[in-house]
Amino acid sequence: MKALLCEEPGQLKLVSRSAPVRGEGEVLVRIRYVGICGTDFHIFAGKHPFLEYPRVMGHELSGIVEEAPADSALKAGDPVYIVPYLSCGHCHACNKGLTNACYNIQVLGVHCDGGMAEYVSVPQANVVPTGNIPLEDAAMIEFLAIGAHGIKRGNVTASDRVLITGSGPIGMSAIIFAKARGAHVTVMDTRQDRLRFAVDQLGADAILMADEHAEEEAQHLTEGNGFDVVVDATGNATPMQRGFNFLAHGARYVLLSVVRQDITFSDPDFHKREITLYASRNAQPDDFAEVVRQMEAGKVPTRALNTHRGRLDDAVTLLPEWSKPEAGVIKAILEV
């Protein structure tokens, strides 16, 4: 089968390797679509903290069942999406239902080879029918679930003023699911085009330019109180630390981003305002189900989000181009 291999940072190669053999309790899936994530671009650039090379990337996956266990509800030909978090099922976290934070987690395309290939074989529990959702849209379910999980972690309600910092795809997913809960959503970024998209396509209520006046403007927008929830989706330590400046007393701060370096904050200010700080990692089954519900309800503008398309055969040249800011990529999808 064909597979796209990142041999080392900046080096991609389309290779031929043996197709996987379905293991016991696994489903063999013929991959049809792969969403390209910021994680993939970070792997390509050598910036991901949890990865060793070489690696076949790809964790936003949809396809067709090729072969399933005899006792499975799945059968050959079924359209499916893949939950890419391979949890052990028996560690302390898994026993508490925190499969997204499994002690022994293997994320496809990060800890082990992923789906930028013609076939993958994964545990049956990680393969879910797409229902009424087209396969190309189903390849976007995983990144949307990341945002849904972060909004859930922040306990966002309709009475909250929410600030989402960073309006890349993950930030956009957070906007979608904060709005789905009825919150008032402000988006902060350095890019006017992304801010316009957040308002015009995603229903954001207000915008903030991430400049030297942002804190002052935020006070104006919130009558001097700050935001009830701040969600960071920047992937950059400096704005992650700056995010503490926008929090109201009793606020919640959700870090969707992960970076290699430490981040710091003022402990007296943190205590004075009794802030709650949340890490948000991956997503859980109910987050995927929430994405599907909102897609079926027409609340996810999939056509607007999917700005770029290409073929796996051309990915060696496409990915470096798509990684450039001037390419204007929101969500790129490879067809296999």
Side-chain angles (χ1 to χ4, degrees):
M1 71 172 184
K2 289 178 290 188
L4 184 69
L5 186 69
C6 188
E7 296 182 299
E8 58 185 53
Q11 296 294 320
L12 298 172
K13 184 177 182 181
L14 193 65
V15 301
S16 179
R17 51 168 54 182
S18 298
V21 176
R22 186 179 68 82
E24 184 177 355
E26 292 186 343
V27 175
L28 182 66
V29 178
R30 169 74 164 89
I31 298 298
R32 290 294 310 281
Y33 295 96
V34 184
I36 308 300
C37 179
T39 295
D40 301 312
F41 290 131
H42 287 160
I43 292 169
F44 175 68
K47 296 179 180 179
H48 198 283
F50 302 138
L51 184 121
E52 295 181 1
Y53 298 88
R55 179 65 69 228
V56 175
M57 300 179 293
H59 61 277
E60 299 180 3
L61 310 171
S62 66
I64 301 293
V65 172
E66 185 81 5
E67 187 180 315
D71 61 350
S72 174
L74 296 166
K75 63 182 185 302
D78 284 349
V80 294
Y81 68 87
I82 293 175
V83 177
Y85 320 128
L86 309 182
S87 54
C88 72
H90 54 73
C91 69
H92 181 68
C94 286
N95 286 336
K96 293 172 65 178
L98 303 175
T99 53
N100 60 309
C102 168
Y103 282 46
N104 309 299
I105 198 165
Q106 296 280 292
V107 178
L108 293 176
V110 179
H111 304 96
C112 58
D113 283 346
M116 288 190 193
E118 292 182 286
Y119 295 92
V120 296
S121 186
V122 295
Q124 184 175 199
N126 293 76
V127 182
V128 186
T130 57
N132 298 320
I133 297 172
L135 272 179
E136 58 266 37
D137 292 349
M140 292 191 276
I141 291 174
E142 192 273 343
F143 98 84
L144 291 161
I146 297 290
H149 184 68
I151 294 303
K152 181 181 73 177
R153 289 282 287 159
N155 300 308
V156 171
T157 70
S159 64
D160 287 325
R161 288 182 178 268
V162 178
L163 174 66
I164 294 170
T165 63
S167 57
I170 298 300
M172 290 181 184
S173 68
I175 296 168
I176 290 168
F177 292 98
K179 288 301 300 178
R181 289 179 174 227
H184 184 282
V185 176
T186 299
V187 185
M188 184 166 72
D189 204 291
T190 59
R191 291 177 54 175
Q192 283 282 8
D193 60 330
R194 289 290 178 89
L195 293 174
R196 286 195 301 271
F197 185 93
V199 173
D200 296 342
Q201 299 292 338
L202 307 179
D205 300 288
I207 58 173
L208 270 176
M209 280 299 294
D211 57 21
E212 67 273 19
H213 305 295
E215 280 87 350
E216 180 183 353
E217 181 62 20
Q219 288 295 299
H220 174 71
L221 288 173
T222 62
E223 296 83 40
N225 293 312
F227 291 93
D228 303 300
V229 183
V230 175
V231 179
D232 176 85
T234 64
N236 185 295
T238 300
M240 288 169 78
Q241 293 176 154
R242 188 185 187 189
F244 286 90
N245 299 342
F246 298 90
L247 291 157
H249 284 240
R252 291 94 73 194
Y253 190 13
V254 182
L255 299 182
L256 279 175
S257 299
V258 58
V259 293
R260 285 183 177 272
Q261 61 266 56
D262 293 343
I263 62 168
T264 61
F265 54 87
S266 165
D267 186 60
D269 199 46
F270 183 77
H271 274 81
K272 178 182 73 176
R273 288 182 283 166
E274 198 175 49
I275 293 163
T276 304
L277 179 62
Y278 291 97
S280 182
R281 186 183 186 192
N282 302 326
Q284 296 172 325
D286 63 318
D287 303 311
F288 284 85
E290 173 66 5
V291 172
V292 171
R293 279 194 296 271
Q294 297 300 336
M295 278 186 160
E296 290 178 339
K299 298 299 180 64
V300 180
T302 52
R303 296 282 72 80
L305 291 169
N306 179 197
T307 55
H308 292 65
R309 291 281 287 273
R311 298 169 63 245
L312 180 69
D313 290 353
D314 302 319
V316 170
T317 55
L318 287 174
L319 260 70
E321 290 301 313
W322 287 345
S323 69
K324 298 174 182 177
E326 58 267 28
V329 171
I330 294 177
K331 176 56 59 177
I333 293 180
L334 290 173
E335 186 172 359
V336 184

